[in-house]
Amino acid sequence: MTLKVYTSLLLLSLVNSVWTRTVRQVYDELYPEHWSHYTSECPQECFCPPSFPNALYCDNKGLKEIPAIPARIWYLYLQNNLIETVSEKPFVNATHLRWINLNKNKITNNGIESGVLSKLKRLLYLFLEDNELEEVPAPLPVGLEQLRLSRNKISRIPEGVFSNLENLTMLDLHQNNLLDSALQSDTFQGLNNLMQLNIAKNSLKKMPLSIPANTLQLFLDNNSIEVIPENYFSAIPKVTFLRLNYNKLSDDGIPPNGFNVSSILDLQLSHNQLTKIPPINAHLEHLHLDHNKIKSVNGTQICPVSIAIAEDYGFFGNIPRLRYLRLDGNEIQPPIPLDIMICFRLLQAVVI
């Protein structure tokens, strides 16, 4: 027993020694100067945690200007302040910035010095939510991966502003003042790797033009969209999550196989004006149709395959994959029709 205890203590000591030496070597390589130097160069309005030397926390400080950013900083937190301007001077030495959070300030387009953002060559994440922007700021850093601009006053997207952002995977423009005229056929040109596009809570009446082909998640909730164009989703063959809640879609506004798309796994059409369930694909897993005007549901009609074939499927057959169906807020009365259960063998929840 004693030998085991001593052995354990020896192993623990060795592990701690190796870990400590490794960490110190990493810090020594990154920051060869003494730690007190980093404390002294930290802006007095901000907090520089010794355990996270690449980060600078200046949030919730009532700042009206951005302080000088030390050269070592990768992550900059400036949210919840009173900042109105973004000028070049504070970023002269900040050539390694990866992340800037400027949410909940008072920044306008006129307050952003020309070219200041594009000079941040290594910036990957830029958050400018809850500000006073009236258009997408330009030019932007070419290496950006996420751009968050929700809850501004954006009504204009400058031509070519996204053309060089090949690395952008997420663009959030929800809750702005975008009209259909702001989204031209070339607006999103260049966003070859975009995966999530959020244009919810704007003033769109039409489906936006030329969505990037690699888009997986498209959020268009809370607009005034009435029509889905024929073959609209053939141009975005990878779209998986589609949200169109709180629009003005009716049965006449949806082409016969508008949502019969094999890539779509989660389809949300809540709070529209549908009176029947539109045709769906066998690959669909989640369907939200609550708060429409649907009076009845017929499993034989909505089943992606014939009921006769569905009854013959074995456990490992290629049966429809629907797992969640929401129909509450319509005029449908329980019980759930038996043919619904026969068709959708994988259903785990039905809300009526």
Side-chain angles (χ1 to χ4, degrees), residues 22-284:
T22 303
V23 171
R24 293 178 72 175
Q25 285 173 350
V26 171
Y27 283 160
D28 287 344
E29 290 175 7
L30 289 174
Y31 314 113
E33 300 178 22
H34 195 270
W35 280 104
S36 61
H37 169 69
Y38 300 115
T39 304
S40 63
E41 71 171 1
C42 182
Q44 63 179 2
E45 311 96 324
C46 307
F47 173 57
C48 299
S51 60
F52 195 10
N54 294 120
L56 181 61
Y57 290 88
C58 307
D59 51 308
N60 296 286
K61 302 294 184 182
L63 299 180
K64 294 185 177 181
E65 296 181 349
I66 299 174
I69 311 303
R72 72 177 191 277
I73 298 303
W74 289 19
Y75 307 98
L76 178 58
Y77 298 89
L78 289 161
Q79 66 269 28
N80 292 302
N81 281 294
L82 303 171
I83 297 169
E84 297 181 359
T85 60
V86 180
S87 61
E88 185 176 344
K89 185 177 179 181
F91 298 102
V92 169
N93 297 318
T95 57
H96 295 283
L97 277 173
R98 264 67 165 179
W99 174 300
I100 298 178
N101 189 334
L102 277 161
N103 293 344
K104 295 187 178 180
N105 278 284
K106 298 182 179 296
I107 299 167
T108 63
N109 288 95
N110 290 335
I112 300 177
E113 187 175 333
S114 179
V116 62
L117 296 175
S118 62
K119 291 178 181 178
L120 301 173
K121 302 296 186 182
R122 300 188 183 185
L123 195 66
L124 302 178
Y125 301 89
L126 178 58
F127 301 165
L128 282 163
E129 300 175 319
D130 295 284
N131 277 280
E132 303 293 329
L133 299 174
E134 295 183 354
E135 64 180 54
V136 174
L140 292 163
V142 295
L144 271 186
E145 294 182 4
Q146 287 193 17
L147 178 60
R148 303 188 183 219
L149 298 169
S150 63
R151 294 180 297 277
N152 276 274
K153 301 175 181 178
I154 295 173
S155 60
R156 182 174 176 271
I157 300 177
E159 184 178 356
V161 67
F162 302 128
S163 60
N164 294 320
L165 303 187
E166 292 188 1
N167 295 327
L168 199 72
T169 60
M170 196 268 264
L171 175 59
D172 190 345
L173 288 163
H174 90 268
Q175 200 166 335
N176 278 285
N177 298 327
L178 292 171
L179 299 171
D180 296 318
S181 57
L183 305 180
Q184 300 298 315
S185 59
D186 60 349
T187 295
F188 301 113
Q189 185 175 344
L191 298 179
N192 298 327
N193 289 296
L194 194 71
M195 298 174 67
Q196 184 186 109
L197 177 60
N198 191 342
I199 326 179
K201 294 188 177 182
N202 278 278
S203 300
L204 304 181
K205 293 183 178 180
K206 300 178 181 179
M207 296 291 285
L209 301 171
S210 301
I211 300 297
N214 285 319
T215 303
L216 298 176
Q217 301 177 341
L218 179 58
F219 303 147
L220 292 164
D221 314 76
N222 293 89
N223 280 284
S224 299
I225 296 170
E226 298 180 355
V227 176
I228 307 294
E230 189 84 33
N231 299 318
Y232 181 85
F233 299 105
S234 62
I236 42 176
K238 297 182 181 180
V239 65
T240 304
F241 299 92
L242 178 62
R243 291 195 336 217
L244 280 159
N245 303 319
Y246 291 96
N247 276 282
K248 296 182 179 180
L249 289 171
S250 63
D251 302 328
D252 293 336
I254 301 175
N257 283 296
F259 296 120
N260 187 359
V261 180
S262 61
S263 65
I264 299 177
L265 303 182
D266 191 302
L267 176 59
Q268 300 190 19
L269 298 169
S270 305
H271 294 271
N272 277 279
Q273 300 172 14
L274 303 175
T275 64
K276 59 184 179 181
I277 297 176
I280 59 175
N281 193 272
H283 290 88
L284 188 67

